[in-house]
């Protein structure tokens, strides 16, 4: 069983961020006649700003107000994203039947399900767990989602493929899964974080990197 993360594993998360800024920018243009939000927000993000991009972009546009920020965050999280599977990820999913594939993803439920729809992976992947459907406390590295997708399989027949060394690989290690695969895509958000020694690092999900014969 291949168990995959979504963000920066199946597509580049920065594409979602850009798509979200564009949706917010369209809303501001329509409702506040303000232009330039998405370009400025993207410049800030590209310069490494995290956590307060909306505040800063709105301040620069002389539009800052706390309730507007909340509203824009909602628009960002609820937007239908313009994203697509990385070609190597699409090919990877095509090489395996749905029953051999599962997905575990953290993040706001409505955003993650919108990504799942946009990527078209429902039906392609046998089992999808959005951990926030159960509550934030079940986010990785909590083992509940891993155990759910594992089902009755022996642990060594499961392998996790993800990008984030901070939270993705802890549970599979403790559950005795096969050594995890860390996909380290250039331009992914956690690119600079080193790969833990318990993982195998690959640059993409191309067949030449991801041959795993199973136990
Ligand atoms: Mg990820």
């Amino acid at each position: 069983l291949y168990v995959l993360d979504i963000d920066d594993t199946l597509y580049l998360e920065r594409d979602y961020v850009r798509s979200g800024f564009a949706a917010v920018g369209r809303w501001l243009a329509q409702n506040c006649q303000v232009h330039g939000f998405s370009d400025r927000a993207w410049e800030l993000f590209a310069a490494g700003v995290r956590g307060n991009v909306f505040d800063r972009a709105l301040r620069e546009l002389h539009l800052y107000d706390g309730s507007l920020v909340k509203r824009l965050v909602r628009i960002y999280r609820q937007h239908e994203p313009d994203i697509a599977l990385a070609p190597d990820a699409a090919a990877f999913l095509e090489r395996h039947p749905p029953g051999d594939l599962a997905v575990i993803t953290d993040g706001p439920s409505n955003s993650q399900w919108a990504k799942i729809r946009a990527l078209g992976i429902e039906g392609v992947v046998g089992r999808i767990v959005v951990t926030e459907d159960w509550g934030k406390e079940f986010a990785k590295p909590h083992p509940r989602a891993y155990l759910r997708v594992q089902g009755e399989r022996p642990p060594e027949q499961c392998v996790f493929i993800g990008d984030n060394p901070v939270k993705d690989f802890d549970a599979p290690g403790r559950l005795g899964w096969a050594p995890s695969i860390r996909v380290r895509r250039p331009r992914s958000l956690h690119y600079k974080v080193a790969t833990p020694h318990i993982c195998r690092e690959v640059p993409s999900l191309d067949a030449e990197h991801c041959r795993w014969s199973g136990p």
Side-chain angles (χ1 to χ4, degrees):
L1 179 74
Y2 292 98
V3 184
L4 298 118
D5 167 59
I6 292 182
D7 296 299
D8 275 339
T9 296
L10 294 181
Y11 80 103
L12 278 180
E13 187 163 6
R14 55 189 268 125
D15 292 346
Y16 178 82
V17 173
R18 198 200 289 263
S19 164
F21 290 163
V24 170
R26 283 193 299 274
W27 188 90
L28 282 169
Q30 255 169 31
N31 294 277
C32 306
Q33 284 70 53
V34 168
H35 301 273
F37 173 87
S38 68
D39 286 348
R40 188 58 195 135
W42 182 250
E43 282 168 15
L44 289 165
F45 182 82
V49 176
R50 298 290 184 272
N52 62 348
V53 169
F54 284 19
D55 300 31
R56 285 183 55 175
L58 290 180
R59 280 215 170 83
E60 290 179 21
L61 295 164
H62 308 291
L63 208 67
Y64 179 80
D65 133 36
S67 65
L68 180 62
V69 172
K70 283 205 183 86
R71 181 151 196 183
L72 298 184
V73 169
R74 229 175 16 248
I75 290 162
Y76 177 91
R77 289 189 175 160
Q78 289 176 353
H79 91 286
E80 293 294 326
D82 180 17
I83 55 172
L85 290 172
D88 58 282
F92 181 92
L93 297 180
E94 270 171 29
R95 288 198 299 275
H96 305 283
D100 289 354
L101 296 168
V103 154
I104 298 175
T105 183
D106 298 334
S109 286
N110 52 2
S111 309
Q112 298 313 103
W113 283 110
K115 291 173 189 175
I116 288 161
R117 286 192 297 276
L119 297 174
I121 58 175
E122 267 180 299
V124 174
V125 170
R127 207 161 235 186
I128 295 177
V129 176
V130 175
T131 57
E132 208 183 280
D133 290 347
W134 293 331
K136 281 189 173 44
E137 65 273 33
F138 296 107
K140 295 175 276 188
H142 195 287
R144 180 174 170 179
Y146 296 83
L147 286 166
R148 169 63 63 89
V149 298
Q150 179 183 335
E152 300 303 313
R153 287 182 185 77
E156 63 275 14
Q157 284 181 15
C158 305
V159 63
F160 192 81
I161 304 177
D163 70 291
N164 186 348
V166 175
K167 62 176 186 174
D168 284 347
F169 310 117
D170 190 61
R174 280 187 286 138
L175 294 171
W177 286 20
S180 296
I181 296 173
R182 191 268 176 107
V183 53
R184 195 172 191 177
R185 298 184 181 283
R187 297 190 301 149
S188 63
L189 303 188
H190 302 288
Y191 181 76
K192 287 188 179 147
V193 185
T195 298
H197 66 275
I198 51 165
C199 299
R200 187 154 65 85
E201 180 182 308
V202 298
S204 76
L205 302 182
D206 283 332
E208 75 235 55
H209 305 305
C210 281
R211 216 163 277 127
W212 179 65
S213 53

